Amino acid sequence: MGLMNADAFRASLRDGRTVYYRGRRIPDVTAEPDLNLGVEHAVLDYDMAHDPAYRDVAVAKDRESGTEISAYYQIPRSADDLLARSRLIEIGTQRGGTIPPLIKEIGTDALFALLRVLAGDALERARAFYRHCRDGDLAVAVAQTDVKGDRSLAPHAQADPDLYLHVVGRDQNGIVVRGAKAHTSASVNSHEVIVLPTRAMGPEDADYAVSFAVPIATKGLSLYVSSFSGGDHNSLEFPLSSKSRMLESITVFDDVFVPWERVFLCGEPGLAAPLALTFVEYHRFTAVSYKLPLIDAFVGASASIAEMNGVAKAGHIRDKLAALITYAETVRALIEMAALRARIGQHGIAYPDPMTVNMAKFTFARRYHSMVALVQECAGGLLVTAPGAEDWEAPEVRRVLEKYLRGKVPAEERLRMMHLIGDITVRDFAGYHAVLAIHAEGSVEAEKLQILRSYDPRKALSLARKFAGLDRS
Amino acid sequence: MGLMNADAFRASLRDGRTVYYRGRRIPDVTAEPDLNLGVEHAVLDYDMAHDPAYRDVAVAKDRESGTEISAYYQIPRSADDLLARSRLIEIGTQRGGTIPPLIKEIGTDALFALLRVLAGDALERARAFYRHCRDGDLAVAVAQTDVKGDRSLAPHAQADPDLYLHVVGRDQNGIVVRGAKAHTSASVNSHEVIVLPTRAMGPEDADYAVSFAVPIATKGLSLYVSSFSGGDHNSLEFPLSSKSRMLESITVFDDVFVPWERVFLCGEPGLAAPLALTFVEYHRFTAVSYKLPLIDAFVGASASIAEMNGVAKAGHIRDKLAALITYAETVRALIEMAALRARIGQHGIAYPDPMTVNMAKFTFARRYHSMVALVQECAGGLLVTAPGAEDWEAPEVRRVLEKYLRGKVPAEERLRMMHLIGDITVRDFAGYHAVLAIHAEGSVEAEKLQILRSYDPRKALSLARKFAGLDRS
Amino acid sequence: MGLMNADAFRASLRDGRTVYYRGRRIPDVTAEPDLNLGVEHAVLDYDMAHDPAYRDVAVAKDRESGTEISAYYQIPRSADDLLARSRLIEIGTQRGGTIPPLIKEIGTDALFALLRVLAGDALERARAFYRHCRDGDLAVAVAQTDVKGDRSLAPHAQADPDLYLHVVGRDQNGIVVRGAKAHTSASVNSHEVIVLPTRAMGPEDADYAVSFAVPIATKGLSLYVSSFSGGDHNSLEFPLSSKSRMLESITVFDDVFVPWERVFLCGEPGLAAPLALTFVEYHRFTAVSYKLPLIDAFVGASASIAEMNGVAKAGHIRDKLAALITYAETVRALIEMAALRARIGQHGIAYPDPMTVNMAKFTFARRYHSMVALVQECAGGLLVTAPGAEDWEAPEVRRVLEKYLRGKVPAEERLRMMHLIGDITVRDFAGYHAVLAIHAEGSVEAEKLQILRSYDPRKALSLARKFAGLDRS
Amino acid sequence: MGLMNADAFRASLRDGRTVYYRGRRIPDVTAEPDLNLGVEHAVLDYDMAHDPAYRDVAVAKDRESGTEISAYYQIPRSADDLLARSRLIEIGTQRGGTIPPLIKEIGTDALFALLRVLAGDALERARAFYRHCRDGDLAVAVAQTDVKGDRSLAPHAQADPDLYLHVVGRDQNGIVVRGAKAHTSASVNSHEVIVLPTRAMGPEDADYAVSFAVPIATKGLSLYVSSFSGGDHNSLEFPLSSKSRMLESITVFDDVFVPWERVFLCGEPGLAAPLALTFVEYHRFTAVSYKLPLIDAFVGASASIAEMNGVAKAGHIRDKLAALITYAETVRALIEMAALRARIGQHGIAYPDPMTVNMAKFTFARRYHSMVALVQECAGGLLVTAPGAEDWEAPEVRRVLEKYLRGKVPAEERLRMMHLIGDITVRDFAGYHAVLAIHAEGSVEAEKLQILRSYDPRKALSLARKFAGLDRS
C-alpha cells in the first residue's frame, strides 16, 4: 500500500470517530483548530517520509518483503537498529519542537512487546495486526493506564467494577469490554488503539487481564480530549506551544465489541505483568530518546540567554551550565548505552538493556525540576514580566521595549530567547513537560523498582564477600 | 484622614495614570478586566481593616499620634512587632490565595529602609513622605530593579545611558530623571511609587544613585503592564489564579520631574548600596512571610490528593510528605527566628536578623523546584490530562467523568484538588510562583552572598583554632 | 551530699565492675589508658562544677530543696530551662573537643522521660531514683538499643529469646533479667545504668517490656567495651581524638537481679513505646545541642584552611562556605526554636517541641556527609598525605617540611589546621562522628517518621481545601 | 628483557634510594613493614603477568616488536584498546582490594601524554624513555602536583621560589632542578618518576615549565613518605587495609641533575597546560576504572548487610540500594562510553572522549560522600561499636559475641561484613578513599571546568535559536 501522505492522513481521520472536546461532540477533528494542531503535528511524521532530507532515517526497507516501510515499524534486531530508532525519534522530536509526533513510536513499542511476549494463536493475531499497521502505514495509539479509582485496591476490588477495563461478555465472535483508560496520548489523531493491561494481576482479576486493538472509529469507543493548554497561542510568547501539542484523552469503552482476531490477551492474568513491563521498557527507551531535544534546548537556551544578558562569564552561571550539560549528556550517554547493550529477546527481537534504560529515565526524571530551576536562574525575572505579542505589535510600545529591553543583543532577540525559555520552563507547556517527566512512561518510583529488578547483583555480592574474607575464591 | 475603604480606593485609581496593557493605552484601570483583577486583589487589604474578624491584625494604633493606622505602617520597634508584621502578611496572603495584596508590604519595606539609612534633610523628607502615606492609608509600590542592558557593565558604561534610571537635569525646584525599571509589582494599583537604586555604585555612577517618590499619575511616568497569564480563567481549573493576580510593569520615566521634597538620594553613590541592601532585607522578610501559605498548600494539597488517590500509606508517599513538611516548617521556623532575633537599628527601628532572613529565603528558594516535583508526584498525570470546566458543565460528559474519575472520594472533590495542584505547580500561575521563588527579592546567589556577609565568623574561627591547638585560651 | 569532685569520681569507679576490653578483663578502668581517656573525659564535667568560669551554667539550685545540684539534673519547667540545658551541653562539648561528657546528659534524658510517662508506684520509684542520682551527683548511662538479631522479627520471635533483654524470673524481691544491649555510651565511666525498652511491643512481647536501673557494679552485668579507635594518638595528627573519646559497650545482663524499687516497667508492653519515644525526644534535643561545636568547627576550620591555602576568595570556596554556614546555622536555629516552642508535659515537666527537634536532627543527619565533603574540598589532598608527628619531631625532616608546606602562614599552622580537619572528617574519629550522625539517637528514617507524626496537619489541610474550593469557610 | 618477576622487582628496589618514613631514613624499603606493604601491593601487578588466570588481560604483544609486554604499556589505538585498558585496571584493583597497584597505570598515562603532546627532539626522547620503561617492564611514578604555597599566586610570585619545582641551572649535559612535589603516589615502590607541570603557565613562569624523568635512586631526590594509616592492622577489623596500602610521598628535588636525554620540556610555558591536561584526561580515565571495585563493593556490602540484619525488604533500604546501584552503574556506563567514544589524537594514539571521562569522574566524586552515608545507613551503629580482633580471639568473649551479635546469619559472618563496611566507609582507609574521590586526579571543580571546555555547544545552541524563532534553518 505504500507510505501514506499528509492529505491521505488528514482524510483518514474523518471517519465518524466519537470525540468530545471542551464539553462538545466534535464531528471532524481536522476542523476543530485545537485538535487540528495535533493532527498537523502528526503530519510532521508523514511528511518526513516524503522529504528527501529525512528519507534515510524515516524510511526503511522491510526485511520480510523488501518494500519500503516507515522506519518506526522496523523490528529491531541489533544494537544498531535500536540506535537508529533512537535517532529517528530524536530527529522527529526536534522537528516537533520538543513534542514527538508519537503516532507510531508508542504503537510500535506496544507491537514489539506483543510480538515478544505472546505465543501460539495470540502471537499469530499480533503478527497479523502488526503487518496490517505496517503495510497501511497507520498511526497507532496505546491505551494502558486505567483510571484506577482507589489505588490501594486491586482491579476486582474497586467500588465500581469498571474502574479498570474488563471483559463483560464473550462469544464465538469476540469479546465485549467496558471501562476507561486515562492519559491516552495521540488517540485523536491515530487510526488504531492498542489496549494493554496496566499492572500485575492475580487470579481474581482474570477479567481485567485483557489486551486487544480496535480502530478509533469503533462503536462504543469515545475519546474525551483534555483541553489542557488549549486555545490560540501567539508565536512570539509561545514559540513551541503555538505549533506543537500532544493530545491526551480519557478513552471510554462502553461495551465495545472486539472480534477474536484482534484479541491478544484475555483471561490470562499471569501474562499481564510481562506484557505491561515489556511494553514499558521499549516505551522508556522511546521516551528518553524524545526528551533529548528538550534537554538540549535547556543547555542551548541557558547559554544563549546568559550571553545575551552579559553574565556568561559569571562563576555561578558557568557552574549552572556545567550542571545542565552534565545532566543532558549523562541522559544521552545512558540511552545510547542502553542501545549499545542491546539484548536479543524472544523471536530474535532486540531490546535495549533494561537497567540502563531505567537509569536513563530515572536520571532524567529525578533531576528534571532542579534543571528547570537552573535554566530559570540563567534567564531572569523577565520570564514572567516580559511584554507579550500585542505589546510588540503596537509601534508606540515596541519603540519603548526596543530601547529598554536590549541586552548584549537587540531586544527582539533577547525577548524571543526569553519566551522560548518561558515556553519550556514556565508556561502551561512547561508544566506539561514537567508532569510528563515524572509520570509518563511509569513514575519515578516505578523506574527505581525496575533498576533494582534488572540489576544483576552477583558480581557486587561476590566481590563484597571476597573483600570481607567470607569467600576465598 | 482615617483608613481608606474599598470604594474610595477604586475611585482613587481613576486619576489619569498612563498605563499600557496588551499594546493599548488603558484610560481606566478599574474598567479593564485583567487589570481590575489586580485592583480587586488590593481591595482585600482595604477590606481587612474594616472587617471585625481581621481588625486586630490589620489595624494598629500609631505610636506618635494614637490614631488608627494600617498595621503595615507600624514602624517595628521589637521582635514582637516583627512577628506581628509577619503574621499580618501571612494572613493577607492566605486571603489572597497565595498572592499577597502587596500594596503596602513592599512600600513600607522601602520606607523603613529610608527612615534608617538616611540622615539630615533627606531623612526629614523621608519622614514627611512616610507620614503622608501612613495618614492617607496609601498604596505604595517600589521600583528598584533597573532594566540593566548588559549586566557585565556598570550603569554609566552601558551602550545607552538610560538603561539604568538616572538624573538628566536638576534645578532649584527638583530633578529630572530618565530610564526604566523592570518587574515593578503592584504599580498599576498603587498611589505612589518609591524609586530605589538597585546595586552598589562607584563615583562614575553618581547620576545613577537616585531615590525618590512620585505619584503614579505623574507626567512622563508610564506603566507597561505585563500580560503574563492574562485573560479569563474559570474557577474549576484555576481556583486561585482566576481570582488572584499580581500585576507587574516595566516602569518608564521619560524625563519625569521630581520636586526636591520627594528626593531622598541624589548624587551620593556611597549610599546606593546601604539603601538597596537595607530595603532588600526587610523585603526578604516580607517575602518569606508571604510564601508560607503557598508552601502550606503544598503540604496540605499533597496529603489530600494522596488520600483521595488511595496511596496515602505508601512508603514513598510518606517520604515525600515528610520532605514537604520539613521544607515548609524549616522555612517557617527560620522566618520566625529571624523576627525573634530582632536587632535594633538606627533611630530605634527594629529589623529581622539578616543572616536568619537570608537563610529562610535561600532555603525556600533553593529547594522550591524539588518540592514542586514532590507535590506533582503525589498527584499524578491527571494534572495535565484532567478534563476542564466546559467538560464538567456538559451533563453528558460530566456523567462519564463522575463515573470514571472518582478516587476514594467523588470525582468532583478529586478534580478540584487536582486542579488546585495544577494551579500552583503546573500552570502559568505556578510558573510565576517558581520564577518568583528564584528571582524576586534578589536572586539565590544574592542570598548566598548575604549569608556570608552577615554571618559572624568569630566563634567558629576561634573554636577551630582552639581545637587545632593554635590558640590555647 | 554536694557535688562530687574529680578525685572522688575517679575513686568511685574502682568498684569491682565487670569490664572487658580488647579481650581482657580489666580490674581497674582508671588504670587502663584507653579507658582512662574516657574517665578523664567525664572528669571535664565534674571539674566544670568547681570551676568559677563555668559555675553559672554547670550548677543549679534545686527547686525542691534549694541545694546546689549539677545543672543537668534540673528538671525543665520552661523554654528558658531548655535553652539553658542546651547551652550547658554545648559548652560541655566545646570543652570536650566535639565529644560531650555524656555522663549526665543521657541519664537525665531518660529520667525526665520516666518522670513524665510513669504513674503510681512506678512513678514513685523513678522519683526516688532521680533524687538518688541528683543528690549523689551520679554519672548515669542508658542502655536502650537491644542487639536485635533478625530485625524483621519481633522480640519474642527471635531464634534466641535473649536477643532482646527480657525478664526471666520474678519474685517478691525483684526480677531477673537476661539479654544484651548494644551501643551503650559512657557505661564504663558511669555509676548507674538505666535500661529502657527500644521499641513498640505487642502482648506477646510482655516480658520484653522492661525498664529498670542498676549500679554498673552489679553481679551478672558485664561491659564489653569497643576498641574502636583505641591506642595512643599523638596530639599533632589527632588534636581532638588524642584527648577525647566516647566509650561504647555491649552491655550483657546475665541473669541480673533487680530489686523492685529499681524496676520502672515490667510486663506492660503498652508503655514501651511511650517510654522509648519520650526518652528519644529529649535525647535528640541533647544530641543536636552537642553537635553544634562539631559543625561550628566545620565552618571555622574550612574558612581557616582556605585562607591559609590562599584560596579564600575563589568563587567555589565562597559557595562552599555559604553552604556550610547555612547548614550549621539552620541546625542551630532549629534546636533553639525547639526550646523556644517548649511544651509542658505531665507533672509540669517541659519538653522541646517534637517536630522541631526532629527537623533539627534530621537536617543535621541528612546533610552531614555532604558537608564533610565540602570541608575536605576546602582543605586539599594533604589531609591524607601530610607528614605525621614523628616527621615533625625529626629536625632534618621538619626543616624540609617547614620549607615546603607553608601556605599564606607557616607550615606548622597549616599542618595543625589540616590535621584538625583530618581528625573530624577523615580519620577513625571522623568516621565515628559520621556514623553517629546517622545512627545515634535513632536513625534518619526514625526522625522522618517522627516529623510526620508530630506535625499538626490541620492548618495545611484546611488551607488546601479552602484554596481548592472544597470548604467555603 | 622480558617481564619482570616478583623477586626481581623486590630486589630492584634495594638501590640506595633516599626514603624517609616516620622521621627516619629507611635504608631498605622492603625491610620496613609499612613500606613493604606497598611493595607487596605492587607485586600483585608483576604476579598477574605470570599467572595463567590473568595473562590474557595482563600481557600484550607489542605492535612494534611483537614481543610480550605488560599490557599497561600497550599504546591505545582504538576504543577496544581503551576498553581493554579499563578492564585491566579494574581487575588489578579487584585483586588489590580497592587499591590499584598503580605502578604502571599512572606512568603510562603520563607517557601517552608525552607521546602525543611533544614534537621534534623532545618527542624522540620521550619515545626512547617509553621504550626503556616498556622493555624493562618498569614501575613508573608521576610527580605532578607542586606544593604550591599560596595558591592565589603564580609559581614565580611565591615567597619562596622553590614552592613550584623549577630549573635552577643548565649546561650542555643537562639541567638542575629544585623544588618539591606533593601527593606522589607509588614513588617508593617505583623505578622511575616522571615529572610533569601542574598547571598553565605564563612567560614569567618559564623556568617552572619543566618535565623530565629520573630514576628514584637519583642523587638529591628524597621521598618523605606519608605515615597516614601506617602500623599493623588485623585482618578481622581491617579486611582490606591490612593488606592494601597506597604509599604517598612528598618528593623533594634538591638540586637534582637531569641529563638532556631525560628532559621532555624545559622553558616552554605554552606546553605546560597541554601536557598537564592531556595527562590528566588519561589519568581520570584510569581513576574511574580503578574506582569501580570500590563502588561495586558499596552495592554488594550494603545488600549483604541489609540481608544479614533482616531489613532487606524495608522500603527505605530498597530505596537506598536503588540509589547505590544507579550511582555505581552510571559511573560504569559513563567510563565505558568514554572508551567507546574514543578519539584518535596525535600520532594515531587514541584517547577517551574528554567530556565523557570528566562526567564519569565528576559523577563519581560529587556523589561519593552521599553514597557513603547510604552504605552506613544500611549497616547500623555496630560500624563503630563492634568488638575487635582481640575480643574475637578471646574465647570467653567470643562466646558472648557469638550469642549476641548474630543476625539472620552467624555473628562471624555479620561481623566480617560489618568490618568490611567499616574499612571502606568509616576508618582511616575510608577517609583516604573519600579524600581521593574529591582531590585525586584533579578536583571536582577542575572536572566541572573540563566538562564545560570539552562540550561542543553548537548543536544545543542552534537548536535553541531555531526553537526561539531566531534561525529559520
Side-chain angles (χ1 to χ4, degrees), chain A residues 156-208:
Chain A
H156 73 275
Q158 298 287 333
D160 179 340
D162 302 341
L163 288 168
Y164 284 73
L165 184 75
H166 61 137
V167 177
V168 293
R170 71 189 77 193
D171 64 17
Q172 61 193 56
N173 297 316
I175 61 175
V176 177
V177 296
R178 190 189 303 153
K181 295 278 187 173
H183 328 308
T184 316
S185 300
S187 50
V188 175
N189 46 348
S190 285
H191 302 104
E192 299 270 354
V193 61
I194 298 172
V195 166
L196 292 175
T198 199
R199 49 177 280 180
M201 292 182 184
E204 292 185 287
D205 295 317
D207 283 341
Y208 295 86

Side-chain angles (χ1 to χ4, degrees), chain A residues 162-379:
Chain A
D162 302 341
L163 288 168
Y164 284 73
L165 184 75
H166 61 137
V167 177
V168 293
R170 71 189 77 193
D171 64 17
Q172 61 193 56
N173 297 316
I175 61 175
V176 177
V177 296
R178 190 189 303 153
K181 295 278 187 173
H183 328 308
T184 316
S185 300
S187 50
V188 175
N189 46 348
S190 285
H191 302 104
E192 299 270 354
V193 61
I194 298 172
V195 166
L196 292 175
T198 199
R199 49 177 280 180
M201 292 182 184
E204 292 185 287
D205 295 317
D207 283 341
Y208 295 86
V210 61
S211 172
F212 58 86
V214 286
I216 297 292
T218 288
K219 183 159 178 293
L221 173 57
S222 309
L223 310 179
Y224 296 85
V225 183
S226 169
S227 59
F228 184 89
S229 199
D232 264 4
H233 292 79
N234 68 72
S235 68
L236 178 81
E237 295 175 72
F238 306 93
L240 297 182
S241 59
S242 57
K243 295 192 291 276
S244 300
R245 189 171 170 213
M246 182 92 84
L247 297 171
E248 315 265 7
S249 65
I250 296 174
T251 307
V252 176
F253 296 79
D254 195 5
D255 292 359
V256 166
F257 169 76
V258 187
W260 281 114
E261 68 264 26
R262 286 296 193 88
V263 177
F264 310 128
L265 177 73
C266 181
E268 293 169 89
L271 279 181
L275 201 46
L277 214 57
T278 305
F279 162 66
V280 101
E281 299 304 6
Y282 279 113
H283 193 39
R284 282 178 193 152
F285 180 73
T286 289
V288 179
S289 301
Y290 82 66
K291 301 303 190 189
L292 298 176
L294 176 61
I295 61 184
D296 278 348
F298 279 9
V299 174
S302 298
S304 292
I305 200 73
E307 178 62 29
M308 292 174 177
N309 287 344
V311 296
K313 292 195 177 358
H316 72 93
I317 292 289
R318 288 174 60 80
D319 220 59
K320 290 169 178 65
L321 291 177
L324 286 162
I325 290 169
T326 302
Y327 171 69
E329 292 297 327
T330 299
V331 172
R332 179 184 297 279
L334 289 172
I335 204 63
E336 199 174 317
M337 188 57 95
L340 289 173
R341 292 173 174 169
R343 301 183 180 196
I344 304 303
Q346 305 93 319
H347 314 298
I349 304 177
Y351 60 102
D353 179 62
M355 183 193 70
T356 316
V357 166
N358 277 284
M359 293 202 310
K361 183 66 175 29
F362 177 74
T363 300
F364 165 77
R366 177 47 89 222
R367 297 161 67 192
Y368 186 85
H369 290 71
S370 306
M371 293 300 125
V372 163
L374 297 184
V375 179
Q376 292 173 347
E377 285 190 73
C378 292

Side-chain angles (χ1 to χ4, degrees), chain A residues 373-374 376-377, chain B residues 361 365 369 433-440 442-444:
Chain A
L374 297 184
Q376 292 173 347
E377 285 190 73
Chain B
K361 183 65 173 31
H369 290 71
H433 270 308
V435 172
L436 248 65
I438 287 178
H439 288 290
S443 70
V444 168

Side-chain angles (χ1 to χ4, degrees), chain B residues 16-28:
Chain B
R17 54 188 56 199
T18 306
V19 172
Y20 286 84
Y21 186 63
R22 293 183 178 272
R24 293 176 301 109
R25 174 79 193 268
I26 304 298
D28 174 358

